[in-house]
Amino acid sequence: LGRIAWEGLAGPEDHAAALTWFRRAAEREDGEACGWLGLASQNGLGTTRDGAEAVRWYRLGAGRQDDFSRFRLALILLYGDDPAAGAAEAVGLLRAAVDDGYLPAMHRLGHVLLFHKHVAHDEAEAVRLVRAAAEGGNVAGQALYGWLLECGRGLPVDEAAAVTWYRKAAEAGDGMAAR
């Protein structure tokens, strides 16, 4: 019911009503509901914007094995106020979500292993993760895999394959790939 109210599937979107249902589900140990509550708190949807409350909900959801919560908490840790302090925890959260097959985490962990200044770089693992995300249909993963192929980062340059992956991502709406 929370998702139906959130997305307006049975009438107009009603984030405040959705939060009531998500809270009820969270009280029953539902990790996914915690992720929705974190998202609402982080973005001020149906409630006041509150970063600390978002982190609290994401931590609760991550503890309940919710991959969306793990992913969102990892992003906050990686790109928040103190990324040096949060990087190791963030990588652990992303790895747990990757182990569950969560495609956005595959792309993001690959990206982090290539570029994040507080994480040891591992080009081979990054390429493996980004390729898996791309092949799984993750649009950001498709665009990044195209870039890796174009630049030869961690694999041989293959401009024809790069165009194929850029095209897939662009057709799915990725602006960077379309450029």
Side-chain angles (χ1 to χ4, degrees), residues 18-179:
L19 296 181
T20 299
W21 290 108
F22 291 143
R23 282 188 191 93
R24 289 172 104 177
E27 289 168 3
R28 292 176 177 83
E29 307 294 319
D30 187 292
E32 185 178 344
C34 296
W36 284 99
L37 290 163
L39 183 67
S41 296
Q42 187 175 16
N43 295 295
L45 299 169
T47 188
T48 305
R49 183 184 302 252
D50 185 337
E53 185 71 357
V55 167
R56 186 180 80 76
W57 282 115
Y58 290 144
R59 281 197 184 285
L60 189 57
R64 294 176 178 171
Q65 314 311 309
D66 178 58
D67 290 324
F68 176 79
S69 295
R70 289 171 171 159
F71 178 74
R72 297 296 296 200
L73 179 56
L75 293 179
I76 290 169
L77 293 169
L78 287 166
Y79 306 110
D81 293 335
D82 192 0
E89 181 183 0
V91 168
L93 290 163
L94 290 172
R95 287 192 191 285
V98 165
D99 288 347
D100 287 346
Y102 192 62
L103 295 174
M106 289 178 195
H107 160 259
R108 180 53 51 190
L109 183 54
H111 188 276
V112 165
L113 292 173
L114 287 168
F115 302 113
H116 201 282
K117 69 180 182 178
H118 299 294
V119 173
H121 293 188
D122 184 338
E123 228 172 51
E125 184 179 7
V127 168
R128 182 186 65 75
L129 289 165
V130 171
R131 180 177 182 167
E135 290 175 344
N138 179 269
V139 176
Q142 292 169 343
L144 182 54
Y145 192 57
W147 182 83
L148 293 172
L149 288 161
E150 178 185 12
C151 297
R153 284 290 301 263
L155 66 174
V157 171
D158 186 338
E159 291 178 356
V163 168
T164 298
W165 285 105
Y166 281 146
R167 182 171 284 116
K168 285 182 185 198
E171 288 172 353
D174 187 279
M176 192 271 311
R179 287 190 301 276

